Amino acid sequence: MTRQKVNRVILFALAVLISCIFIFPIVWIILSSFKEGNEIFAWPPTFFPTHFSLANYAGAFERGNFLVYFKNSGIVTILSTALAAVINFMAGYGFAKYDFKGRNVIFLIFISTIMLPLEVLMIPIFQTVKLFGLYNTLAGVIIPPAATPTGIFLVRQFFLSVPDELMEASRIDGASELQIMGRVMVPIARPIISVLVIFNFMWRWNDYMWPLIVIRSPQLYTVQLALKTFAGEYSVDWNGLLAMSVITMIPMLVIFLIFQKQFIQGIATSGLKE
């Protein structure tokens, strides 16, 4: 066996090992959600349930109004993801393809906000939300994170790799700027749009801190806030918590499976090109 083949085998074995390390907790959670009673804490621990049971899922749905919580999370996630995709796409496209005064300075200001922790931004954003009457509304959760510096950066880097000659040729053919963006650039940018959709969907669906700050009424709780109801003052309903945690994984898994090819292509083509 040649040295090159040996290196490939070693790299493949390392990749499999790392994948197993990351996948193991997820598989453990899924299998534990089907365990009965205190089998989760049995010693020695069992990897597979002794008896598969759906009682944890049934009990979790009976305990809380999770259909309402899933609906709230769906509204927040879908609208916020769509809004973020549009805003980040247009901003990144503008920074990459239009030369205007102060472009680089404005872009650096946007990117520099990545270094600011969320704790620093919470108070001014919360004050703005209250000022516009969005406190304790789903709109207050949806609108503030609509534009992200990470999304703008990825879109800009993607469009830097797209030749300007495509725009020039479209202008010669009589296309307007909106037509160029909608009919030429959007089809080209499907990979990076998929990246934006997956990232924003994941962030908004798993977001706990911002909804906790903005939402006061239990009827407006998202799924992540509702999961906190399984943790009481003195005890935690681990069986119900695991069951609902498994269900919350499903939407993200579906989104990733739908956009995985475009996601990988988008990440690969959004390098640090200047």
Side-chain angles (χ1 to χ4, degrees):
M1 184 179 291
T2 63
R3 184 180 181 85
Q4 186 177 9
K5 290 183 178 180
V6 172
N7 291 335
R8 288 182 178 177
V9 171
I10 294 174
L11 289 175
F12 179 77
L14 287 174
V16 171
L17 177 61
I18 294 173
S19 299
C20 291
I21 292 174
F22 279 96
I23 292 174
F24 177 78
I26 300 175
V27 176
W28 179 272
I29 291 174
I30 294 174
L31 293 177
S32 296
S33 69
F34 294 101
K35 294 179 180 179
E36 295 179 338
N38 294 323
E39 188 181 352
I40 298 173
F41 303 102
W43 189 262
T46 58
F47 187 70
F48 293 97
T50 304
H51 300 286
F52 276 87
S53 173
L54 296 176
N56 296 334
Y57 292 88
F61 274 104
E62 290 175 359
R63 175 172 177 172
N65 197 3
F66 273 90
L67 291 179
V68 174
Y69 303 145
F70 274 102
K71 182 193 73 173
N72 293 337
S73 285
I75 293 173
V76 169
T77 303
I78 293 173
L79 293 182
S80 184
T81 298
L83 189 62
V86 172
I87 293 176
N88 291 334
F89 176 86
M90 296 180 69
Y93 173 70
F95 279 124
K97 291 304 179 185
Y98 292 97
D99 189 10
F100 52 89
K101 188 175 181 179
R103 179 184 66 173
N104 293 333
V105 174
I106 297 173
F107 179 71
L108 287 176
I109 293 174
F110 270 111
I111 296 302
S112 64
T113 59
I114 297 177
M115 297 182 291
L116 297 175
L118 180 60
E119 291 77 7
V120 175
L121 303 174
M122 280 182 179
I123 294 177
I125 296 177
F126 178 75
Q127 290 176 336
T128 303
V129 166
K130 287 200 69 176
L131 179 64
F132 285 94
L134 300 178
Y135 177 66
N136 198 35
T137 66
L138 293 181
V141 182
I142 295 170
I143 296 176
T148 61
T150 304
I152 294 174
F153 173 78
L154 290 175
V155 175
R156 175 183 178 270
Q157 297 306 115
F158 178 88
F159 277 116
L160 287 177
S161 65
V162 177
D164 293 337
E165 287 75 9
L166 289 175
M167 298 179 65
E168 296 298 332
S170 300
R171 292 189 182 107
I172 293 174
D173 291 337
S176 65
E177 297 302 316
L178 286 177
Q179 288 175 330
I180 294 174
M181 183 180 68
R183 297 181 181 180
V184 179
M185 294 301 175
V186 169
I188 294 175
R190 284 182 181 177
I192 197 61
I193 293 175
S194 299
V195 172
L196 293 178
V197 169
I198 291 177
F199 278 168
N200 281 281
F201 191 96
M202 178 182 65
W203 292 335
R204 300 289 75 80
W205 182 264
N206 289 327
D207 193 7
Y208 173 78
M209 184 60 67
W210 184 243
L212 178 64
I213 294 173
V214 177
I215 299 299
R216 182 181 69 247
S217 302
Q219 295 80 8
L220 297 177
Y221 276 3
T222 60
V223 171
Q224 303 305 326
L225 292 180
L227 289 177
K228 188 68 173 67
T229 61
F230 287 103
E233 185 177 358
Y234 301 104
S235 63
V236 178
D237 181 6
W238 291 107
N239 298 81
L241 182 60
L242 289 173
M244 285 297 100
S245 297
V246 171
I247 293 179
T248 60
M249 296 179 190
I250 296 176
M252 290 186 295
L253 180 61
V254 171
I255 289 295
F256 180 77
L257 291 177
I258 292 174
F259 294 102
Q260 60 176 329
K261 291 183 179 179
Q262 293 86 349
F263 174 77
I264 296 172
Q265 184 181 354
I267 290 294
T269 55
S270 296
L272 301 177
K273 181 177 179 179
E274 186 60 66

